């Protein structure tokens, strides 16, 4: 990073690779992939606020999650669950939320009293609700599904809305891992959900192994079909 180097946990990486379920990332793929690259300076900064010296920083285990199936997410969730349960571990997932606009090939819009539609160039800009409010509603529905802790609910809302959450698969893997741990403890992962983007996690709920959203922003508020925006959401979970 620009601040200094971060160590990699080669022993754990080798252990995971021995499972036969991981491939090595080619250098060309690594050079094109920017999510980890964007995270590393922030990780370094946060670690520097916690540890007195870089020599005491915990090592990293970078995992790139590509386009996967629901069953693959569950399989890797079960595989990674013991690592997630380790109190010395922290999992960090990189994702934006909705990428809306013709340049993203996603112009999903929900009218107040009719079926959802995909808007096209030349369509009159809707005002009830404005496009940006429809985007927010869809994002909050996805955030609520994520807060529910139910992997299947997360997959279902993404399927129904087509929301372009670029990190949907790593989020799904971590949700599946947390659900695995709750199942092992007898919770079954069927507790009350977070509602539609409720972000209502309060003291006493923060150790339940479910995501709680704490911030939501968009790059702009879209009003016409020719505009575009990217949504950003931040969440955390504590086991």
């Amino acid at each position: 990073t620009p601040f200094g180097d971060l160590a990699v946990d080669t022993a754990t990486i080798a252990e995971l690779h021995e499972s036969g379920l991981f491939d090595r990332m080619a250098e060309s793929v690594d050079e094109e992939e920017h999510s980890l690259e964007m995270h590393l300076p922030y990780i370094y900064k946060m670690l520097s606020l916690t540890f007195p010296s870089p020599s005491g920083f915990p090592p990293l285990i970078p995992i790139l999650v590509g386009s996967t199936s629901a069953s693959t997410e569950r399989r890797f969730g079960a595989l990674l669950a013991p690592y997630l349960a380790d109190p010395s571990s922290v999992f960090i997932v990189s994702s934006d939320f909705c990428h809306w606009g013709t340049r993203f090939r996603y112009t999903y819009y929900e009218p107040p009293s009719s079926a959802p539609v995909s808007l096209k160039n030349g369509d009159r800009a809707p005002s009830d609700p404005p496009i940006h409010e429809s985007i927010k509603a869809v994002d909050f529905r996805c955030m609520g599904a994520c807060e529910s802790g139910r992997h299947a609910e997360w997959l279902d809302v993404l399927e129904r809305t087509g929301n372009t959450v670029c990190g949907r698969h790593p989020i799904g893997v971590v949700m599946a891992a947390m659900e695995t741990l709750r199942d092992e403890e007898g919770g079954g992962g069927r507790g009350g959900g977070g509602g539609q983007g409720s972000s209502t996690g309060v003291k006493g709920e923060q150790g339940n192994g479910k995501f709680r959203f704490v911030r939501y922003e968009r790059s702009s508020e879209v009003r016409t079909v020719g505009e575009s925006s990217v949504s950003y959401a931040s969440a955390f979970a504590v086991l």
Side-chain angles (χ1 to χ4, degrees):
T1 77
F3 307 114
D5 294 338
L6 291 166
V8 173
D9 186 344
T10 55
T12 301
I13 291 173
E15 184 177 285
L16 290 171
H17 193 66
E18 287 174 1
S19 70
L21 298 175
F22 292 86
D23 292 325
R24 300 286 185 185
M25 189 189 307
E27 184 176 348
S28 59
V29 174
D30 188 23
E31 289 176 347
E32 293 294 327
E33 172 57 39
H34 64 271
S35 59
L36 178 63
E37 178 183 344
M38 296 296 291
H39 266 287
L40 290 177
Y42 293 98
I43 292 172
Y44 191 100
K45 180 63 176 179
M46 295 307 297
L47 291 176
S48 69
L49 297 176
T50 305
F51 296 88
S53 169
S55 63
F57 288 1
L60 306 184
I61 305 163
I63 299 176
L64 176 65
V65 181
S67 181
T68 61
S69 65
S71 60
T72 299
E73 289 178 15
R74 288 191 294 270
R75 188 188 346 157
F76 277 87
L79 174 69
L80 295 173
Y83 298 92
L84 183 61
D86 184 338
S88 68
S89 294
V90 174
F91 279 45
I92 300 172
V93 178
S94 172
S95 180
D96 296 332
F97 261 63
C98 182
H99 299 65
W100 197 97
T102 56
R103 68 191 183 104
F104 298 120
R105 299 181 182 178
Y106 184 72
T107 55
Y108 182 88
Y109 174 79
E110 294 186 337
S113 57
S114 57
V117 297
S118 290
L119 300 176
K120 300 178 179 62
N121 282 324
D123 286 351
R124 185 174 180 178
S127 59
D128 182 24
I131 294 173
H132 63 84
E133 288 297 334
S134 174
I135 294 170
K136 181 178 179 179
V138 172
D139 273 335
F140 271 44
R141 195 170 308 125
C142 293
M143 291 158 64
C146 193
E147 286 187 327
S148 77
R150 293 186 288 272
H151 180 233
E153 186 169 330
W154 169 247
L155 297 176
D156 178 66
V157 73
L158 292 174
E159 176 68 24
R160 285 188 287 109
T161 64
N163 198 2
T164 48
V165 180
C166 58
R168 62 176 63 195
H169 298 298
I171 292 172
V173 169
V174 174
M175 288 187 70
M178 292 192 291
E179 197 164 18
T180 295
L181 294 175
R182 290 199 306 276
D183 286 346
E184 291 175 352
E185 293 174 359
R190 295 183 173 86
Q196 183 174 317
S198 62
S199 299
T200 55
V202 296
K203 189 174 181 180
E205 294 182 335
Q206 294 181 1
N208 62 2
K210 297 179 183 179
F211 282 115
R212 174 195 170 197
F213 281 85
V214 294
R215 187 165 180 176
Y216 175 76
E217 302 286 349
R218 283 162 293 172
S219 59
S220 63
E221 292 189 346
V222 173
R223 298 184 182 278
T224 67
V225 182
E227 299 173 6
S228 63
S229 73
V230 178
S231 303
Y232 308 96
S234 299
F236 73 93
V238 179
L239 295 177

